């Protein structure tokens, strides 16, 4: 399985900054407004119709990939349009915040800083390539920001967030929930993996991975509630994002057919 990631860490869980994660605020009024405006169309949606599944290749950039997916979903929820965000920016800028050098992953707290404070750009401004290259292109405009982030410490909170149609970024240690061949290669090196949970398949959560659409059929598989609870007990990190208050230059309200009539 040569298309599997070979990065040394991927998710740098040992360097996670929980004080930084806790800066995220839920903004109850903004979330309540979002729930009123968005229908339940996304409960049964196929996430691959909206979130482009890419292959991170041999770079341990899964946190940046997952963060770009979060932006892709939130942009769609806010506008009804698809856009492809920069996994390179999500990865290398969070590494800069984390103080991590070399291809050794990044943290979700570094990603939260990129998403809510620094800002993200589109993939066409900073294209992702499957080799380690942290050099930032000149003239990039980081005009996209998410205002709402929420760290979770219990699985019920994660499931409520997903049931509201909102995405959750994951950061977990290598374990039995992952592809067994990857666990063999990576577990002895520490760290873990970051993905994106969004929408449900029955009682389970769809997990959007960054190992390419050929992995597991379409790049998406399901995590049970019990598995996520186990990941939390083993030190996993989960942070939800919302498009409520999403800042970008061309915001246009979207009306979903049959809902706002």
């Amino acid at each position: 399985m040569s298309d599997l990631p070979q990065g040394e860490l991927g998710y740098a869980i040992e360097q996670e900054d929980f004080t930084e994660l806790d800066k995220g605020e839920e903004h109850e009024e903004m979330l309540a407004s979002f729930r009123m405006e968005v229908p339940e169309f996304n409960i049964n949606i196929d996430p691959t119709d909206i979130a482009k599944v890419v292959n991170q290749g041999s770079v341990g950039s899964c946190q940046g990939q997952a963060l770009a997916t979060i932006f892709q979903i939130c942009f769609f929820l806010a506008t009804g349009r698809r856009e492809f965000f920069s996994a390179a920016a999500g990865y290398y800028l969070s590494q800069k915040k984390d103080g991590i050098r070399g291809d050794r992953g990044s943290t979700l707290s570094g990603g939260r800083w990129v998403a809510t404070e620094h800002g993200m750009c589109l993939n066409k401004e900073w294209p992702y390539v499957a080799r380690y290259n942290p050099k930032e292109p000149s003239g990039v405009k980081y005009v996209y920001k998410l205002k709402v982030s929420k760290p979770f410490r219990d699985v019920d909170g994660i499931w409520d967030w997903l049931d509201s149609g909102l995405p959750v970024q994951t950061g977990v240690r290598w374990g039995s929930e992952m592809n067994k061949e990857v666990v063999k290669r990576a577990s002895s090196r520490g760290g873990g993996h970051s993905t994106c949970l969004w929408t449900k398949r029955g009682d389970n959560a769809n997990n959007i991975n960054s190992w390419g659409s050929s992995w597991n059929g379409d790049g998406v598989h399901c995590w049970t509630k019990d598995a996520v609870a186990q990941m939390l007990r083993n030190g996993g990190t989960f942070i939800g994002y919302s498009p409520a208050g999403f800042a970008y230059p061309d915001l246009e309200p979207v009306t979903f057919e049959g809902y706002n009539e």
Side-chain angles (χ1 to χ4, degrees), residues 1 8 18 38 94 110 118:
M1 302 180 73
E8 191 167 9
F18 293 98
V38 176
S94 60
H118 181 279

Side-chain angles (χ1 to χ4, degrees), residues 6-255:
Q6 300 295 306
E8 191 167 9
L9 284 175
Y11 168 46
I13 191 168
E14 290 84 1
Q15 295 181 241
E16 189 62 87
D17 183 347
F18 293 98
T19 301
E20 177 70 31
L21 279 178
D22 286 338
K23 291 180 181 177
E25 297 181 10
E26 187 173 352
H27 297 300
E28 288 289 353
E29 292 183 3
M30 296 169 76
L31 279 177
S33 172
F34 175 75
R35 290 192 179 105
M36 288 170 55
E37 293 172 0
V38 176
E40 294 184 356
F41 79 96
N42 50 355
I43 299 303
N44 296 312
I45 199 169
D46 183 344
T48 60
D49 288 341
I50 306 303
K52 183 177 179 180
V53 176
V54 297
N55 190 337
Q56 68 189 75
S58 60
V59 185
S61 58
C62 55
Q63 190 283 131
Q65 304 285 351
L67 190 64
T69 301
I70 291 284
F71 269 84
Q72 202 169 327
I73 292 167
C74 286
F75 184 85
F76 169 75
L77 291 175
T79 69
R81 306 196 302 271
R82 293 184 65 185
E83 191 57 86
F84 191 26
F85 289 84
S86 174
Y91 179 40
Y92 297 121
L93 293 175
S94 60
Q95 274 204 321
K96 186 175 180 180
K97 171 67 174 176
D98 294 331
I100 297 175
R101 296 182 179 181
D103 189 17
R104 297 182 59 81
S106 58
T107 67
L108 267 64
S109 52
R112 191 214 68 84
W113 174 81
V114 173
T116 64
E117 297 184 42
H118 181 279
M120 273 281 276
C121 66
L122 300 178
N123 184 69
K124 62 187 178 185
E125 294 183 275
W126 191 346
Y128 178 82
V129 293
R131 65 180 185 277
Y132 187 74
N133 181 12
K135 185 176 180 180
E136 183 177 358
S138 61
V140 177
K141 296 180 180 178
Y142 301 101
V143 294
Y144 300 85
K145 288 185 181 178
L146 293 168
K147 301 296 186 181
V148 178
S149 65
K150 178 178 175 58
F152 293 105
R153 293 175 176 82
D154 65 273
V155 69
D156 289 333
I158 295 170
W159 248 240
D160 288 345
W161 199 265
L162 294 172
D163 285 338
S164 296
L166 302 174
V168 175
Q169 186 176 2
T170 80
V172 300
R173 298 182 188 277
W174 294 111
S176 59
E177 295 83 8
M178 298 296 175
N179 180 287
K180 287 184 174 146
E181 183 172 346
V182 177
V183 172
K184 277 186 199 175
R185 297 180 185 178
S187 59
S188 62
R189 287 178 278 186
H193 190 45
S194 181
T195 60
C196 174
L197 299 179
W198 185 50
T199 71
K200 305 279 281 300
R201 197 179 308 179
D203 294 330
N204 302 327
N206 284 312
N207 181 46
I208 305 167
N209 207 344
S210 55
W211 294 342
S213 58
S214 63
W215 180 83
N216 204 48
D218 58 3
V220 177
H221 68 299
C222 282
W223 282 1
T224 68
K225 195 172 184 179
D226 287 343
V228 172
Q230 180 183 359
M231 294 172 191
L232 280 166
R233 289 192 296 269
N234 289 332
T237 307
F238 292 78
I239 181 168
Y241 288 96
S242 168
F246 194 6
Y248 50 96
D250 61 344
L251 174 61
E252 298 175 8
V254 59
T255 298

